[in-house]
Amino acid sequence: MIYPIPRPQIPACAWQRPLGKGWDKPYTVRYASNLDDGAWHGMPLGGFGAGCIGRSTKGDFNLWHLDGGEHIFRSLPACQFSVFEQPEGEAAQAYALCTEAPVNQALSRWQWYPPEQGTYSALYPRSWFKYEGVFKSELICEQFSPVWAENYQETSYPVAVFQWTAHNPTDKPITVSIMLTWQNTVGWFTNAIKSPTVKVRDDGSPEYEYRPKWGDSTGNFNQWIEDNYRVGCLLNRVQPHSEIQEGEGQIAIASSRNPNLEIYYLGRWNPSGDGSDVWDYFAGNGSLPDKEDETPAAPGEQIACAMAIRFTIPPGKTKQIPFILAWDFPITEFKQGIEYYRRYTDFFGRSGKNAWSIIRTALKHSDVWQEKIQAWQKPILEQSNLPDWFKMALFNELYLLTDGGTLWTAATENDPIGQFGVLECMDYRWYESLDVRLYGSFALMMLWSRLDKSVLEAFARAIPKNDLTSRIIGYNQAQAVRKFAGATPHDLGAPNEHPWEETNYTSYQDCNQWKDLPSDFVLQVYRDYVLTGKEDTEFLWECWQSITQTLAYLKEFDRDGDGIPENSGAPDQTFDDWQLKGISAYCGGLWIAALEAAIAIGQILIKNPPLNPQLQPTDYPDCIEEKINTYSNWLKQARSIYHDTLWNGEYYRLDSESGSKVVMADQLCGQFYARLLGLPDVVEEKYVKSTLNKIYDACFLKFHNGEYGAANGVLPDGSPVNPNDTHPLEVWTGINFGLAAFMVQMDMKEEAFKLTETVVKQVYENGLQFRTPEAITAVGTFRASHYLRAMAIWGIYGVLTGWE
């Protein structure tokens, strides 16, 4: 159908890169054992927990997170868009829309799109490929998945929409054909090793062997579907089991027909060959031979399908053509026998035979989805007081909610919207590391608040549990128990075990000894209550018993009874290569803020009895009053010594026993959280401002002349305590964003935005886009890509807008 419509309006703030343009000196990984896939990353497609597929700025599909918690980065050239064009009376041309030919000589018959002839743009969950300088017609492909704030249905869908807009700016008709080819990869995305061996890497963190069934296409077959006005190809597999298992299901590509379009297809072709069985037809006149072939693939054989839509655009006119990619892999398996259905199966069923149902839904509702995404983004994009680079990073850092090995399970009676989890990163593959999400969960809390609460409820359930399994700690090779009752776990487990049930997967440090985790838990619980309307008292009740248990556990580390738990001299907090000893500014401030939060929670609960009587203590409300009195006494002690022990006249010392003069960037995180939640200040405002000014000067401006961001900890003149230090000399993206939010809170907006812009540019100008790392260094290296904490940038926006 011809539409009298303008071309798509790509927001000016979207991140942009010429198609296929490389990087002269992209950041490289700091440790050889860490993941470094290179700079060819683009925005991921797919809903939360549904698995996702990434398409790079070259135009190839190269990231495959279709197995829950697992990472595959590998280009599949046969998964591709191609365009044929022939203006009236002129020669035809055809290109596959990737700027690089396959390295193994496959598809050698195909013509590949020249680099830097157009622009890639991204503003998650939307991205655009704009093709310029090659075709006479003006072509834009907008791609998106139905992700928008506070949506708990469509945001889970395993689907990508490709909205093609073709405009004819000439005075002659132009014939255009758009082809989508796709390799049948059903069955590839599961671990062939059912009981993988866990090893400890050179950096002390555990990892397990993952060997996907990549290339195992035996029994795969393709079916051409014509369903009223819907047409497409269903990529299937002869199911070898009576009940569906992980990796089994369907993929589908589709579009819609109308009288002005010509639809062509090829149901089966060889993606390992030269591609002539597709290309000779398509490059000739934009057609395909219309052959169906449902023969299953033999062992060692690869198969793909193709569909093309040909149409003519009159002079000055515009056409829009939708293509849909959907997949249905309903099961995620963790360790052998532990299986969960994905959230989207609550809406499409669990048989693994619903890819076409997803196609139907997408073709019917994609326009509405697009409008809802635009309506969600519009109020932020229209804020003239926010710079474009900030708007860009604000949305694009949400990529991790799709990309981060994300889990979102089907609903149960205990978890009415399912259970949710994002990996700390691809190198540290365990879910929802609590210390990291102290900053990194601002985005989830602000945009999908029920999911954030579900994560904290999982921590609440885990705190009382005991796991006395002994294991070796990577940092010092000591033996330690995995999880003590009362200890707040560091994480909610890993994909090779049983997430939510088997916690504390990481063994680099003994997290039972960490002095920040219990405080982090209490503060996040109270944060989610305060900043989501101050009405969800049932959520507070769900967490109360665990709050009291973990605060009591942490207080046991107050060895001298002065009211503040002491750090042990080992790295026993989020900076887990950095030794703190005695009372520390970082952990001590979090402790004081957490006690204030616990008192506030207790007072709320006294006024609001639980609807669920099982949550109500037998001696309610007296027992809550008793806890409040206890916390008040601890607070009185702690407040009396915290400032006097650590204040040095300009800033707070790292700790009370090491004698270090380092300026720690995140030293007053507890104060930031206290003011954020309307709690009494940890320290007086004049000391806060003095400290922030010193951090800004030493850690940012004097650290390599402010070129990289704020280092975690340096001497007052910006120099290192030890030039061989690890964490102190790294610029942590999420810590910088948290620090910037703190500065905005303290009326230092100009400094906050200068710091934030510096870090954002380091990420998006050095090939780190859509794989934002935890840490960058002053020598152009990074550590821990696809990192959770970087979503802390939403904390800046929250403080700026009053969390509206």
Side-chain angles (χ1 to χ4, degrees):
M1 184 178 295
I2 299 175
Y3 297 93
I5 59 171
R7 303 201 66 192
Q9 297 299 304
I10 301 173
C13 63
W15 181 74
Q16 294 191 339
R17 185 82 181 170
L19 295 177
K21 183 178 181 179
W23 282 259
D24 293 332
K25 286 186 67 177
Y27 269 65
T28 55
V29 77
R30 183 174 187 181
Y31 300 113
S33 62
N34 273 202
L35 181 69
D36 187 358
D37 291 317
W40 293 110
H41 283 263
M43 193 200 75
L45 296 158
F48 297 178
C52 75
I53 299 171
R55 189 181 181 199
S56 85
T57 55
K58 287 188 294 189
D60 61 329
F61 292 87
N62 62 356
L63 181 137
W64 309 90
H65 285 188
L66 295 176
D67 184 357
E70 309 299 347
H71 174 75
I72 301 173
F73 188 83
R74 187 169 175 175
S75 182
L76 272 181
C79 298
Q80 189 56 255
F81 279 104
S82 301
V83 167
F84 165 93
E85 181 192 65
Q86 185 169 28
E88 187 178 80
E90 299 183 25
Q93 59 178 343
Y95 290 95
L97 299 181
C98 177
T99 60
E100 187 174 288
V103 295
N104 62 359
Q105 299 302 307
L107 309 185
S108 57
R109 197 67 156 260
W110 294 25
Q111 183 79 16
W112 300 89
Y113 193 78
E116 300 188 41
Q117 299 297 306
T119 306
Y120 173 85
S121 305
L123 194 71
Y124 179 87
R126 299 185 288 162
S127 56
W128 298 262
F129 287 83
K130 184 177 183 180
Y131 302 94
E132 299 174 293
V134 174
F135 300 112
K136 292 288 183 69
S137 51
E138 296 175 355
L139 297 172
I140 297 178
C141 177
E142 178 175 350
Q143 51 185 35
F144 63 91
S145 294
V147 172
W148 62 87
E150 292 300 334
N151 174 270
Y152 298 94
Q153 180 169 329
E154 289 88 348
T155 296
S156 73
Y157 287 1
V159 67
V161 178
F162 302 89
Q163 184 72 58
W164 280 87
T165 303
H167 175 71
N168 181 356
T170 75
D171 58 1
K172 297 179 181 179
I174 299 177
T175 296
V176 173
S177 182
I178 302 173
M179 178 172 70
L180 176 57
T181 53
W182 207 262
Q183 189 162 349
N184 189 330
T185 58
V186 175
W188 292 19
F189 303 106
T190 185
N191 198 349
I193 306 169
K194 289 305 180 184
S195 298
T197 302
V198 178
K199 299 179 181 179
V200 176
R201 276 199 304 238
D202 58 356
D203 63 0
S205 57
E207 66 172 351
Y208 58 90
E209 190 175 2
Y210 180 69
R211 189 188 305 157
K213 294 184 177 180
W214 187 267
D216 179 6
S217 297
T218 304
N220 286 7
F221 64 98
N222 303 333
Q223 299 169 283
W224 177 249
I225 305 290
E226 297 190 16
D227 172 22
N228 293 323
Y229 65 91
R230 296 171 287 263
V231 291
C233 196
L234 191 62
L235 286 63
N236 230 318
R237 187 181 183 96
V238 177
Q239 192 164 310
H241 309 101
S242 58
E243 294 186 9
I244 193 166
Q245 298 184 9
E246 181 184 69
E248 297 172 359
Q250 298 175 332
I251 303 171
I253 60 172
S255 186
S256 54
R257 70 160 73 245
N258 68 56
N260 297 309
L261 304 176
E262 297 174 281
I263 310 294
Y264 300 97
Y265 63 91
L266 179 59
R268 194 181 196 273
W269 62 277
N270 176 18
S272 301
D274 65 3
S276 58
D277 41 359
V278 172
W279 201 255
D280 288 358
Y281 284 94
F282 183 72
N285 60 11
S287 72
L288 292 169
D290 289 349
K291 290 183 180 178
E292 296 186 51
D293 186 344
E294 298 184 14
T295 306
E301 186 180 18
Q302 297 298 321
I303 64 170
C305 66
M307 64 177 296
I309 298 179
R310 191 171 69 183
F311 50 92
T312 298
I313 321 171
K317 299 299 183 179
T318 303
K319 284 194 176 185
Q320 285 190 335
I321 307 293
F323 283 86
I324 310 295
L325 168 66
W327 55 95
D328 179 19
F329 300 122
I331 289 176
T332 294
E333 182 181 41
F334 302 116
K335 68 180 179 183
Q336 194 164 9
I338 303 299
E339 297 180 342
Y340 282 79
Y341 288 104
R342 288 173 156 158
R343 169 64 171 173
Y344 77 86
T345 64
D346 287 337
F347 314 108
F348 289 106
R350 299 177 174 182
S351 66
K353 299 178 181 179
N354 293 294
W356 198 255
S357 295
I358 299 168
I359 291 288
R360 287 176 178 170
T361 301
L363 285 172
K364 183 176 181 179
H365 297 292
S366 59
D367 288 349
V368 174
W369 296 348
Q370 195 173 31
E371 291 170 3
K372 287 184 178 293
I373 294 168
Q374 292 170 351
W376 163 46
Q377 292 185 334
K378 184 178 180 181
I380 294 177
L381 300 187
E382 289 183 344
Q383 292 186 38
S384 59
N385 62 325
L386 297 178
D388 280 352
W389 60 261
F390 182 74
K391 298 172 187 174
M392 179 278 294
L394 198 65
F395 283 108
N396 281 336
E397 287 305 322
L398 296 175
Y399 82 97
L400 198 75
L401 293 173
T402 290
D403 167 283
T406 314
L407 305 178
W408 189 0
T409 70
T412 64
E413 186 175 351
N414 289 335
D415 295 289
I417 60 160
Q419 292 182 285
F420 187 82
V422 175
L423 294 173
E424 180 174 330
C425 68
M426 289 300 152
D427 289 300
Y428 314 145
R429 277 193 289 171
W430 37 85
Y431 282 99
E432 295 292 348
S433 300
L434 191 72
D435 56 318
V436 175
R437 75 184 323 276
L438 183 68
Y439 284 146
S441 62
F442 279 128
L444 192 65
M445 181 272 298
M446 293 172 69
L447 301 172
W448 291 274
S449 56
R450 293 170 66 191
L451 292 181
D452 200 67
K453 290 176 182 178
S454 77
V455 172
L456 294 173
E457 287 170 352
F459 274 101
R461 291 194 287 260
I463 285 170
K465 294 181 179 178
N466 228 5
D467 183 347
L468 300 182
T469 305
S470 182
R471 58 186 183 169
I472 295 175
I473 298 304
Y475 178 76
N476 58 10
Q477 300 302 299
Q479 290 279 339
V481 164
R482 178 161 175 166
K483 167 73 171 68
F484 282 123
T488 298
H490 168 272
D491 56 75
L492 292 175
N496 63 314
E497 291 192 340
H498 189 173
W500 306 293
E501 298 298 326
E502 297 176 88
T503 62
N504 260 5
Y505 184 78
T506 181
S507 59
Y508 177 54
Q509 295 288 0
D510 178 7
C511 294
N512 293 295
Q513 306 295 315
W514 278 26
K515 310 308 186 299
D516 54 350
L517 293 172
S519 300
D520 293 346
F521 171 69
V522 176
L523 289 169
Q524 288 177 62
V525 169
Y526 190 52
R527 178 200 67 186
D528 279 24
Y529 170 78
V530 170
L531 299 181
T532 62
K534 298 184 179 180
E535 295 179 354
D536 194 356
T537 56
E538 288 302 300
F539 169 64
L540 296 182
W541 275 110
E542 289 284 347
C543 299
W544 175 247
Q545 293 295 338
S546 293
I547 287 171
T548 61
Q549 189 173 1
T550 202
L551 288 176
Y553 179 89
L554 180 54
K555 184 62 168 62
E556 293 176 6
F557 292 100
D558 178 13
R559 307 300 189 191
D560 56 8
D562 63 1
I564 301 181
E566 283 82 32
N567 292 89
S568 65
D572 53 3
Q573 26 64 44
T574 194
F575 303 95
D576 55 2
D577 252 359
W578 200 353
Q579 297 179 356
L580 309 181
K581 192 168 185 180
I583 298 171
S584 69
Y586 180 71
C587 295
L590 288 170
W591 168 250
I592 290 171
L595 291 177
E596 293 284 10
I599 290 170
I601 292 169
Q603 291 169 340
I604 292 166
L605 296 183
I606 289 173
K607 297 176 184 176
N608 295 274
L611 299 176
N612 180 358
Q614 293 181 341
L615 296 174
Q616 184 170 304
T618 54
D619 51 354
Y620 165 86
D622 293 342
C623 73
I624 297 182
E625 289 281 12
E626 182 182 334
K627 295 295 183 187
I628 290 174
N629 291 335
T630 298
Y631 300 153
S632 297
N633 289 333
W634 293 350
L635 255 179
K636 186 176 181 181
Q637 283 183 284
R639 285 187 174 280
S640 70
I641 64 169
Y642 178 81
H643 173 80
D644 292 343
T645 301
L646 298 172
W647 180 247
N648 72 358
E650 281 188 286
Y651 57 95
Y652 288 89
R653 290 189 289 143
L654 183 69
D655 56 40
S656 62
E657 296 184 22
S658 71
S660 173
K661 295 182 180 179
V662 71
V663 182
M664 184 186 197
D666 206 28
Q667 59 185 272
L668 286 184
C669 177
Q671 166 61 27
F672 166 67
Y673 252 86
R675 183 161 289 200
L676 179 70
L677 303 180
L679 299 168
D681 286 336
V682 174
V683 296
E684 292 180 38
E685 184 171 320
K686 60 181 179 181
Y687 303 121
V688 177
K689 290 196 170 181
S690 175
T691 298
L692 284 177
N693 283 323
K694 192 63 181 179
I695 292 168
Y696 187 77
D697 180 64
C699 298
F700 176 41
L701 296 181
K702 289 179 177 174
F703 180 72
H704 294 273
N705 299 313
E707 293 180 23
Y708 298 95
N712 282 326
V714 292
L715 293 172
D717 65 356
S719 65
V721 175
N722 179 348
N724 296 319
D725 276 343
T726 51
H727 289 183
L729 297 181
E730 291 179 331
V731 173
W732 286 11
T733 54
I735 294 294
N736 272 249
F737 296 153
L739 178 61
F742 192 5
M743 289 178 171
V744 173
Q745 188 186 72
M746 298 305 297
D747 298 320
M748 297 174 64
K749 181 179 176 181
E750 183 178 343
E751 294 89 340
F753 270 72
K754 184 176 180 180
L755 174 64
T756 306
E757 183 178 14
T758 299
V759 176
V760 166
K761 286 186 174 181
Q762 287 299 315
V763 171
Y764 286 89
E765 293 181 1
N766 290 288
L768 295 174
Q769 75 289 339
F770 302 108
R771 55 171 186 150
T772 306
E774 160 79 316
I776 59 175
T777 72
V779 293
T781 63
F782 70 89
R783 181 174 58 79
S785 59
H786 304 261
Y787 205 77
L788 170 60
R789 190 158 15 210
M791 284 188 287
I793 195 168
W794 278 85
I796 302 172
Y797 182 73
V799 175
L800 279 169
T801 58
W803 304 93
E804 294 176 355

